[in-house]
Amino acid sequence: MQIQVNGKQVEVGDALRERVLSETEGSIAKYFDRGGTTAEVTFSKQGYLFKADCWVRLASGQSVVSHAFGGDAHTAFDVMLDHLEKRVRRYKQRLKQHHNGTPAKEETANVTVLRSPDGDGNADLDELDDGMDHSSPPQAMIIAETEQPLRTMTVSAAVAELELSNYPVVMFRNAAHGGLSVLYRRPDGNIGWIDPERTAPGAVAGNGKMNGKASHMVQAAQ
């Protein structure tokens, strides 16, 4: 298993580095073989608190993300590792419950990261310009571009994916109808589900009328 330990404006000493390598590998090895698994643990500071971020990519291709804060780097790592192990265990249980021997066709989607115009992530993208064509992102604003798998799964599996990845949004191909759906974490803690296929042209809504808008539902967080 390959584990990379980094510090952003935080010095990672040998003792902390060795602990991260040993305990992170041990937590994952309880549930999955270590071969082909990679992880990156990053320590940083936000105000008076230390933050520990961990991104794990299992041999299956599944990403598991966790982060936590603490009064010192070791405390932040303790909490983060506990969250990480719970997510890995949950993923293992989901594999046992929903095992399917037929692999889905692999797809990829382009992922682009744009830098906020004011650099703090709070700018309104509608104020980027001044008459320029907004049909594509301004090239000067792109800071990262890559491809990620676009997985085919059920809505319940996508909810589990949202919890595992700790990301605010997950796009997936809905196994029920083959169209694209989006799950996202709402500010109230519940999960929003956007499913254009349910009300696409030609689909009939529950009241028997055609509806060209995307179906937008809210599911209680588990």
Side-chain angles (χ1 to χ4, degrees):
M1 179 175 176
Q2 297 180 352
I3 304 176
Q4 184 176 349
V5 183
N6 304 311
K8 290 184 177 179
Q9 299 181 334
V10 171
E11 185 174 348
V12 179
D14 291 340
L16 177 59
R17 185 180 301 275
E18 289 301 319
R19 185 181 172 214
V20 169
L21 295 175
S22 173
E23 296 187 17
T24 301
E25 182 172 357
S27 293
I28 295 172
K30 292 179 183 178
Y31 307 100
F32 292 97
D33 182 78
R34 293 167 291 182
T37 298
T38 60
E40 182 175 352
V41 179
T42 302
F43 293 93
S44 58
K45 284 202 71 176
Q46 292 192 11
Y48 295 102
L49 294 176
F50 285 80
K51 183 182 181 185
D53 290 285
C54 184
W55 176 86
V56 176
R57 187 172 183 84
L58 300 171
S60 64
Q62 173 68 50
S63 294
V64 183
V65 181
S66 180
H67 67 265
F69 293 89
D72 56 65
H74 284 273
T75 301
F77 175 70
D78 286 338
V79 180
M80 182 277 296
L81 190 65
D82 182 61
H83 292 169
L84 177 69
E85 186 168 333
K86 288 179 180 177
R87 288 191 169 96
V88 172
R89 182 173 65 247
R90 195 176 303 151
Y91 175 58
K92 180 74 170 183
Q93 292 170 345
R94 180 160 66 88
L95 286 181
K96 291 180 179 179
Q97 295 170 358
H98 303 286
H99 178 70
N100 187 341
T102 305
K105 179 181 178 181
E106 183 176 349
E107 296 181 79
T108 58
N110 186 70
V111 178
T112 303
V113 180
L114 302 180
R115 186 188 302 279
S116 172
D118 62 5
D120 64 4
N122 298 316
D124 186 350
L125 292 179
D126 291 336
E127 299 176 357
L128 277 178
D129 304 312
D130 30 38
M132 290 181 64
D133 179 13
H134 290 277
S135 61
S136 60
Q139 293 299 312
M141 302 298 294
I142 296 177
I143 58 176
E145 191 167 7
T146 185
E147 289 187 349
Q148 290 187 358
L150 180 63
R151 301 176 60 193
T152 298
M153 61 183 107
T154 62
V155 175
S156 60
V159 171
E161 176 77 10
L162 192 71
E163 296 296 327
L164 283 169
S165 66
N166 208 24
Y167 290 144
V169 62
V170 169
M171 176 181 284
F172 61 102
R173 191 167 295 283
N174 196 318
H177 51 61
L180 294 176
S181 292
V182 173
L183 291 182
Y184 66 96
R185 179 75 63 183
R186 291 162 45 95
D188 61 9
N190 292 318
I191 297 171
W193 172 21
I194 303 174
D195 191 1
E197 287 292 326
R198 292 175 65 92
T199 48
V204 179
N207 59 8
K209 297 181 180 180
M210 306 292 283
N211 186 346
K213 297 181 180 179
S215 179
H216 195 150
M217 289 154 280
V218 178
Q219 175 174 337
Q222 297 177 341

